[in-house]
Amino acid sequence: MKNSVKRFFCTIFPFLTTLVLWRLSVPFWNPAGILAIIPIFYCSFVKPVPWFSVISILFCFLIDYKFNTLVYWTVLYCLVYSINGFQGFIDLPRAGNRAIVAFMIFFGVGVLILSCVHISLSNVIRALWIFCLASILYIPITGLIARICDDR
């Protein structure tokens, strides 16, 4: 009984983490639930979880809805997902530090493009802040997911 409960919790934890991070949207710390991109990236590309790509597309769409960006994060996620599926020379599951460099490139390009739409000093500072915050929180959040879901 104990083993089946642990296995169920390991299966559901990435989904719950994404839901909680999206739901805890605060304008300064987590605008539009953008920090939900961390488990979306990690559980889709680094440690693929079965059926997580469907939930990832849904949550990218929900982030777009809160951000008032038509389908920006959804298209960016689908683009990276298709590129990752067709390429064979970048192995994200074996990348060091849970592929933080790949996440920083993915998230940095996304935030950079968004900040260049209406370029101003406040948008650039806000984009830099969100990029730094997401990059700093990537290691603890993915570490928690990896620690809980390590014994699948």
Side-chain angles (χ1 to χ4, degrees):
M1 178 72 174
K2 182 180 177 184
N3 196 16
S4 63
V5 171
K6 183 179 179 185
R7 191 174 4 185
F8 174 75
F9 189 67
C10 286
T11 303
I12 199 86
F13 188 73
F15 299 97
L16 287 176
T17 306
T18 305
L19 178 66
V20 167
L21 285 173
W22 175 75
R23 199 60 193 129
L24 291 176
S25 62
V26 179
F28 183 72
W29 296 102
N30 188 10
I34 193 68
L35 292 180
I37 291 288
I38 295 170
I40 287 171
F41 181 85
Y42 183 72
C43 295
S44 293
F45 303 122
V46 181
K47 292 278 188 182
V49 173
W51 292 98
F52 197 78
S53 59
V54 175
I55 298 299
S56 297
I57 291 172
L58 173 69
F59 274 97
C60 284
F61 181 75
L62 290 173
I63 290 169
D64 284 329
Y65 177 74
K66 278 189 170 184
F67 250 132
N68 284 332
T69 54
L70 199 55
V71 287
Y72 177 73
W73 289 104
T74 308
V75 168
L76 188 65
Y77 171 79
C78 290
L79 179 70
V80 171
Y81 191 82
S82 64
I83 290 171
N84 189 44
F86 286 124
Q87 59 85 27
F89 59 91
I90 298 174
D91 192 14
L92 288 179
R94 292 195 176 135
N97 290 330
R98 294 181 211 97
I100 189 169
V101 174
F103 172 76
M104 289 172 73
I105 292 170
F106 166 73
F107 193 71
V109 167
V111 170
L112 178 70
I113 292 171
L114 270 181
S115 68
C116 288
V117 172
H118 297 289
I119 195 155
S120 68
L121 183 61
S122 65
N123 279 346
V124 171
I125 291 172
R126 188 176 302 119
L128 187 62
W129 163 249
I130 294 301
F131 175 75
C132 291
L133 182 66
S135 298
I136 290 169
L137 290 178
Y138 181 81
I139 292 294
I141 291 172
T142 57
L144 183 65
I145 293 171
R147 185 173 186 135
I148 290 177
C149 301
D150 205 16
D151 299 329
R152 265 189 212 206

